[in-house]
Amino acid sequence: MQIFAKTIIIGFGLLFIFSGFVMLIKPTLFRGWIAMAGSTTTINYTEITLRMVPAAAMIYLAATSKYPLGFQVIGGFMIATSLVLYCIPRQKHHELSQNFAKTLKPLYLRLIAPLAFIIGILLIDAVY
């Protein structure tokens, strides 16, 4: 189970790194992905459920990671926010996502792309 959870965290870290590249190279594509959140019932519940997988892995691995408190807090926060998103209407989630996508201008995404790289590297490093 430990290897499976580590694999999930490594995949999550790689997803952050990939997202950082997309934010840097094609920020409008990334904005489109954000705007799609909650757009259909399938996308809404798939997204929310998939968020809980690395969150649960973080909580499971917290004691053996390099950042135990960080893994517990962030994993718990991700699960709590996922449960909240399950309870609000899908249309509200989609509206929030669209507003957030409009706020994140391409320049802003390019500026925060290095943060995605750092988070991805820290996630991978935390389980080694």
Side-chain angles (χ1 to χ4, degrees):
M1 188 68 164
Q2 187 111 5
I3 293 171
F4 182 63
K6 284 184 178 186
T7 303
I8 290 169
I9 297 300
I10 291 168
F12 194 46
L14 292 173
L15 178 64
F16 265 93
I17 293 167
F18 172 75
S19 296
F21 279 114
V22 175
M23 289 164 54
L24 194 60
I25 297 166
K26 293 204 177 246
T28 53
L29 175 63
F30 193 83
R31 282 176 69 188
W33 292 345
I34 293 171
M36 282 181 19
S39 59
T40 69
T41 301
T42 302
I43 289 173
N44 187 56
Y45 292 111
T46 301
E47 172 211 346
I48 295 168
T49 303
L50 288 177
R51 286 173 48 142
M52 293 175 65
V53 173
M58 290 176 83
I59 292 169
Y60 179 78
L61 291 173
T64 59
S65 76
K66 289 183 181 175
Y67 316 109
L69 181 61
F71 265 40
Q72 286 177 341
V73 170
I74 293 168
F77 180 78
M78 288 172 63
I79 287 179
T81 56
S82 295
L83 294 174
V84 169
L85 287 173
Y86 273 133
C87 296
I88 67 169
R90 177 193 61 78
Q91 294 84 355
K92 278 287 184 200
H93 182 200
H94 184 54
E95 182 183 318
L96 174 70
S97 301
Q98 287 183 320
N99 289 336
F100 193 59
K102 287 176 191 170
T103 302
L104 285 175
K105 306 292 183 220
L107 175 63
Y108 303 161
L109 288 169
R110 285 190 172 111
L111 289 173
I112 64 172
L115 184 60
F117 297 134
I118 292 167
I119 292 169
I121 291 165
L122 287 172
L123 283 167
I124 294 167
D125 178 60
V127 296
Y128 274 105

